[in-house]
Amino acid sequence: QVQLVESGGCLVQPGGSLRLSCAASGIFFSTYHGGWYRQALGKHRELVATITHCGNTAYADSVKGRFTISRDNAKRTVSLQMNSLKPEDKAVYYCKIWNSQGYWGQGTQVTVSS
């Protein structure tokens, strides 16, 4: 059974940093692509960043230069380092992994507020 467990969501002040992690189990992790999505209240879920199974990354324009996605195949984790956080980054952040089939985590809340 595939499981994704996210952690790291928190309340942080504008300009602060957070690191989200997504731990996977039940899959051959190194063959899967990974990504982070977010959904703000009343809005559609949107792509934040992706990383392919071989480490190529892509970012939404709104987070380029501030967020960094990474993976550790030995630990079976996908992480999102978020710097210079803004109030508009407030959302529930979801981890997704996929190849021929996709799996979602349960989400972790990020709140950016003074």
Side-chain angles (χ1 to χ4, degrees):
Q1 183 178 357
V2 179
Q3 267 196 317
L4 299 181
V5 179
E6 297 132 332
S7 61
C10 198
L11 169 64
V12 64
Q13 291 187 339
S17 297
L18 280 177
R19 185 175 181 86
L20 305 182
S21 288
C22 173
S25 60
I27 57 167
F28 189 30
F29 181 78
S30 62
T31 65
Y32 281 71
H33 310 302
W36 287 94
Y37 293 70
R38 67 186 180 187
Q39 187 166 15
L41 194 62
K43 295 190 176 181
H44 296 296
R45 191 172 297 187
E46 64 175 2
L47 174 67
V48 175
T50 59
I51 185 164
T52 67
H53 71 282
C54 52
N56 294 318
T57 59
Y59 298 90
D61 287 343
S62 59
V63 306
K64 277 181 185 175
R66 300 189 298 123
F67 291 11
T68 303
I69 190 170
S70 60
R71 64 187 296 152
D72 185 330
N73 288 338
K75 294 182 179 178
R76 289 188 278 186
T77 58
V78 178
S79 298
L80 186 69
Q81 177 66 42
M82 305 187 293
N83 298 328
S84 303
L85 283 160
K86 304 176 181 180
E88 52 263 42
D89 294 318
K90 176 183 176 179
V92 178
Y93 284 70
Y94 296 90
C95 171
K96 182 182 180 182
I97 61 166
W98 70 93
N99 51 26
S100 59
Q101 191 169 352
Y103 302 93
W104 290 93
Q106 81 285 355
T108 185
Q109 177 71 52
V110 171
T111 301
V112 185
S113 174
S114 53

